[in-house]
Amino acid sequence: MMDIAILERLNAGSTEDRLHALAQEKEAAQFPVINPRYINNHIHTWYSFSPYSPTAAVYAARNEGLCTAGIIDHDSIAGAREFIEAGKILDLPVTIGIETRVSMAGTPFENRRTNNPDQAGVSYMVLHAVPHHRIDRVQAYFEPLRAHRNDRNRRMVEAINQLTGAGLDFERDVVPLSRAGEGGSITERHLMQALSRKVKPGLSMLEEYDHIGQLKKDFVPKIFIDATDECPDIREYIDFCRDVNGILAYPYLGDVTVSVTGDKKAQKFEDDYLDELMQVLYDLGIRAITYMPTRNTDQQLTRLRALCDKYGMMQISGEDINSPRQSFVIEKMKEDRFSNLIDSTWELIKHEREG
């Protein structure tokens, strides 16, 4: 975990203040030698849910020896420019993107679970390598979707109060925990953070994040309301992603037996019909798959990678970072068999820079 004092400096004030603090920290830092095999294209920041500002996330990535870093937030790309500037300060190449949930209505999966633990018929999708001159357009696209999500968030806060009597108020207790005023999103984890602070005040940051993870696994299913208006139709979203010239990827989850991050229960996802799903994704025009090598079995990875080869899918790797206990390093990247994921990372960076 990053030194708390450094984290506080890199999380403080305005974007300009944070970048200035980063330049100062660079002079004093004793960073490890960069490892050319260490990449991570799926780092969340506080513009969705994370202990890290974009500046702090870049510092943490460099402090663990990563050779590149990628920002991915839910329904928001508000942190992208800060992330890019922080990368320049530390001479760390970066890539930017956004994650959202899409409706699978009108496909064979409109009533089946894919990679979403909370809801069947809705899939997570990641738009990687957004060209820098398209950031504002992508952010604008998601503005009404964030508003719809907050309508649902308010209803889930009401459900929390009915179950617990916590007396949470969305505007008072939840919104201030987010960066919604700067274009960030509010997620279920924010709701759990507000609840945690009500029922267990005074926890340290690590203790609070542990409690949030437990609540997400055990309590969110009790109050979860299906997402509807905030989820674009998959075909519409594919067209939008093509129009902004990003690289749209389906994030493979795979059946979970033991959750690496501790916030997912044992659950079946897309493995029973993965072959069919890959065909549907290909027919829809999706040409990339992103996956998390550390979180899947060798059997799952071998099968998925073979299907990617069959359909000519670009393979992208990133393991989502949203807790202070997590390492930014993907240990599996030390294995030669995953060298293609390093190559694809540099392809992402090249693609978004060329626009």
Side-chain angles (χ1 to χ4, degrees), residues 228-342:
T228 54
D229 294 344
E230 73 207 60
C231 301
D233 174 82
I234 187 169
R235 294 174 183 84
E236 173 207 321
Y237 193 60
I238 289 169
D239 288 344
F240 171 76
C241 294
R242 187 180 294 118
D243 197 39
V244 298
N245 197 29
I247 296 175
L248 183 62
Y250 172 86
Y252 169 76
L253 183 56
D255 297 352
V256 174
T257 52
V258 177
S259 173
V260 174
T261 52
D263 62 358
K264 292 182 178 66
K265 62 183 179 181
Q267 193 172 0
K268 291 185 70 65
F269 292 98
E270 66 270 81
D271 282 347
D272 285 349
Y273 31 79
L274 184 60
D275 294 66
E276 180 187 0
L277 176 61
M278 291 290 283
Q279 181 68 61
V280 169
L281 294 173
Y282 181 84
D283 291 344
L284 286 167
I286 294 169
R287 295 293 182 267
I289 301 292
T290 179
Y291 55 91
M292 303 172 284
T294 306
R295 303 190 186 184
N296 296 121
T297 66
D298 282 347
Q299 182 179 11
Q300 286 175 316
L301 292 170
T302 298
R303 180 188 179 197
L304 177 67
R305 285 160 63 88
L307 285 168
C308 286
D309 290 341
K310 175 182 176 181
Y311 287 99
M313 297 281 194
M314 182 181 189
Q315 297 178 42
I316 302 168
S317 178
E319 301 195 356
D320 54 322
I321 301 295
N322 50 39
S323 166
R325 289 196 187 276
Q326 292 174 271
S327 170
F328 283 53
V329 172
I330 302 173
E331 292 293 337
K332 286 275 188 179
M333 294 308 304
K334 297 175 182 177
E335 301 178 20
D336 287 341
R337 61 175 167 153
F338 294 120
S339 293
N340 66 309
L341 301 177
I342 301 170

Side-chain angles (χ1 to χ4, degrees), residues 6 9-12 14-31 53-56 58-59 62 82 85-91:
I6 295 176
R9 285 193 289 274
L10 299 181
N11 276 353
S14 66
T15 298
E16 292 73 20
D17 291 337
R18 294 191 291 273
L19 292 173
H20 179 69
L22 180 65
Q24 293 180 318
E25 292 297 336
K26 177 184 177 181
E27 298 304 316
Q30 295 183 334
F31 290 127
S53 69
T55 296
V58 171
Y59 179 96
R62 178 61 189 88
E82 180 181 341
E85 291 305 311
K88 290 177 182 177
I89 291 171
L90 293 188
D91 301 314

